[in-house]
Amino acid sequence: MNRRNRGSSSSGSGGGANDSYNRRRSDVARNRNNDKEEADDNNNKGADVSFIVGTCSSMCPERERVTRERLRDLSVFERLYGNPTKSSTDLAVKKFCRTLSAADVQASDVRPLPVLEETLSYLLSLLDSREHPFEVVHDFIFDRTRSIRQDLSIQNLANERVIHLYEEIVKFHVISRQRLQCCSGANISSMHHLNMEQLAKTLTTLYNIYDANRKPDYIHENEAEFRSLYVLLHLNTSSGVMGEPLSLWFCKLTSNLVKSKEMCFVRSLLRSYRNGNYKSFLRTTATEATYMQYCISEPHIREMRSLAVECINNVCYKLQPYPLLRLSQNLMMKEMDVESLCHECGLEIRTDSDGSIVLPTKQTNFCSPKEGFKNYDLVGIEIERLL
């Protein structure tokens, strides 16, 4: 069937080039078994699903929508006028299927690339919804983007348009990482863990597709920024976010990628972090980070500020309390936020004879703030650059 252009990159430019491309694309298919969980989580027979061409023209196959209406299995975003037993083609979005086998897959249940693009655009439009708590919005988009990845994997799609889809899904997980930290509830910790897990898997697949579409001395438009996220996720070696050590990972990058401004930024940040140079870390983040890089760096900003307070408390002269104004400048924080941070660290602050607020040093009750402590603004960051 010659449905809409699926961007399968089949030009007649010579057998050798096509053979090379096809080999790389086959590698992507094998490497994307984490999406074929997508067939990834099912420990089932994702590998048995042969590549097909989807023919479903709506965001959700009709037979799935009808079944879920009957079972009252509709998200709040899929209910027509709030009715839990009724949806429509404009609201229902295909769910992720954990147990997938060759016998279950029909072309009419799989969405082709143009429909997947429209579906993702619709899902991301819900991110700014104020009608429901963010964790509800996240849970819906989280499941439905996994389904998009599943449909892409089933069809073995790995072209430039697919790269854009994966980049947008990565952005969703990065934004969720930041916003979930501001949520409260019994399930937030689990949601955060699952979000980080899918962020890692989506990045891995995206990197494989970048490589499959590699041309000599060529970097994809946003590749350097998305590659830099891997480094930021590895700032803390104990995070266990993704498996390969940075030393090995850097060796696999092309020289053009290594020299890109995005990679130079994260390498500088990595040095500052490992050397405990909090001033350089904060200043570099404020002046150079993109929005996604800032979202990933936020927990480390808190960590470096806590380290700075600990160092000043331990090292400075006891008879000369440290001025809070100077500390706020060093940490790129508002003075009232520094006061709050010191309290979180178990430290007392005082007002000296001149009326200035100071931090008495050599206090013995310092403690690192527990995970989930308050976020503070980074004073001096160029907000316009992040938007």
Side-chain angles (χ1 to χ4, degrees):
M1 294 179 63
N2 188 18
R3 286 182 64 82
R4 289 163 286 191
N5 175 27
R6 294 172 52 245
S8 56
S9 188
S10 56
S11 66
S13 59
N18 282 338
D19 289 346
S20 175
Y21 174 80
N22 289 332
R23 282 196 301 273
R24 293 197 304 271
R25 188 167 173 178
S26 295
D27 290 340
V28 172
R30 288 193 296 272
N31 289 329
R32 283 202 294 173
N33 278 336
N34 65 301
D35 277 333
K36 187 98 68 199
E37 19 165 326
E38 275 84 82
D40 91 332
D41 302 82
N42 55 16
N43 293 325
N44 262 340
K45 307 202 173 182
D48 292 342
V49 181
S50 40
F51 301 124
I52 62 176
V53 178
T55 61
C56 177
S57 60
S58 59
M59 295 191 295
C60 182
E62 183 179 4
R63 70 169 181 165
E64 178 186 320
R65 176 171 57 82
V66 171
T67 299
R68 290 206 283 126
E69 285 176 336
R70 177 170 50 83
L71 297 175
R72 302 171 70 94
D73 182 22
L74 297 174
S75 163
V76 291
F77 298 99
E78 299 176 306
R79 298 171 185 175
L80 188 62
Y81 305 118
N83 186 342
T85 64
K86 191 66 178 174
S87 187
S88 71
T89 56
D90 294 329
L91 296 175
V93 184
K94 182 180 177 181
K95 289 183 71 174
F96 169 70
C97 181
R98 190 176 300 275
T99 54
L100 192 66
S101 67
D104 297 325
V105 180
Q106 297 181 18
S108 59
D109 294 331
V110 179
R111 298 159 294 181
L113 183 54
V115 177
L116 293 173
E117 291 171 327
E118 295 165 6
T119 302
L120 182 60
S121 178
Y122 167 72
L123 290 173
L124 297 180
S125 72
L126 301 176
L127 264 178
D128 295 324
S129 171
R130 296 290 182 264
E131 187 176 352
H132 303 281
F134 178 73
E135 53 266 37
V136 176
V137 177
H138 165 82
D139 192 54
F140 178 68
I141 301 177
F142 177 89
D143 178 87
R144 288 354 184 228
T145 52
R146 290 184 76 185
S147 178
I148 288 175
R149 288 159 53 198
Q150 192 172 53
D151 278 7
L152 289 170
S153 182
I154 288 172
Q155 298 174 89
N156 193 27
L157 298 176
N159 54 46
E160 293 284 348
R161 291 164 65 187
V162 174
I163 285 176
H164 177 71
L165 287 182
Y166 272 92
E167 288 176 344
E168 290 299 310
I169 295 173
V170 167
K171 285 182 185 178
F172 158 69
H173 287 297
V174 169
I175 292 171
S176 291
R177 183 181 195 264
Q178 183 191 46
R179 293 193 185 179
L180 285 174
Q181 294 175 12
C182 302
C183 299
S184 59
N187 297 324
I188 295 301
S189 177
S190 174
M191 293 178 74
H192 177 73
H193 172 78
L194 292 172
N195 182 67
M196 293 303 295
E197 180 181 74
Q198 293 307 313
L199 170 59
K201 290 179 177 181
T202 308
L203 274 175
T204 298
T205 304
L206 175 60
Y207 296 160
N208 289 335
I209 302 176
Y210 281 146
D211 292 337
N213 289 272
R214 178 76 61 218
K215 301 171 186 175
D217 300 320
Y218 175 75
I219 300 177
H220 296 278
E221 182 179 1
N222 302 310
E223 182 177 1
E225 181 182 7
F226 282 89
R227 295 274 188 183
S228 75
L229 300 184
Y230 188 95
V231 180
L232 294 175
L233 289 168
H234 275 77
L235 285 182
N236 187 340
T237 55
S238 63
S239 64
V241 177
M242 300 175 75
E244 190 171 37
L246 282 177
S247 56
L248 295 177
W249 185 80
F250 271 117
C251 291
K252 297 179 181 179
L253 298 182
T254 65
S255 60
N256 286 343
L257 275 172
V258 173
K259 294 175 183 177
S260 65
K261 67 181 181 64
E262 293 85 356
M263 294 304 294
C264 288
F265 160 71
V266 291
R267 289 165 66 194
S268 173
L269 214 62
L270 179 63
R271 282 193 300 271
S272 299
Y273 180 85
R274 291 184 172 176
N275 291 333
N277 188 342
Y278 63 88
K279 284 186 180 180
S280 174
F281 185 93
L282 296 172
R283 183 173 58 252
T284 303
T285 302
T287 57
E288 298 184 35
T290 64
Y291 177 64
M292 282 199 299
Q293 290 169 336
Y294 178 75
C295 288
I296 296 291
S297 300
E298 255 197 340
H300 304 298
I301 292 174
R302 299 196 301 265
E303 183 183 349
M304 294 300 281
R305 283 170 166 170
S306 173
L307 173 66
V309 171
E310 181 181 15
C311 290
I312 289 170
N313 177 63
N314 291 339
V315 172
C316 290
Y317 188 43
K318 185 174 183 178
L319 297 180
Q320 292 182 339
Y322 202 87
L324 226 63
L325 177 59
R326 189 193 309 169
L327 184 57
S328 71
Q329 293 169 344
N330 290 341
L331 300 185
M332 304 183 72
M333 298 173 67
K334 299 174 184 174
E335 192 170 351
M336 61 183 296
D337 288 343
V338 176
E339 187 174 339
S340 177
L341 174 61
C342 289
H343 288 315
E344 286 188 75
C345 293
L347 301 178
E348 297 179 359
I349 58 171
R350 296 176 186 166
T351 303
D352 65 12
S353 57
D354 296 328
S356 300
I357 302 175
V358 296
L359 171 68
T361 57
K362 304 298 184 185
Q363 297 185 48
T364 59
N365 52 344
F366 174 88
C367 60
S368 295
K370 303 217 185 312
E371 185 178 346
F373 70 97
K374 185 178 177 182
N375 281 326
Y376 299 104
D377 292 339
L378 186 61
V379 175
I381 193 166
E382 302 170 9
I383 299 298
E384 295 79 8
R385 192 185 72 253
L386 299 182
L387 300 178

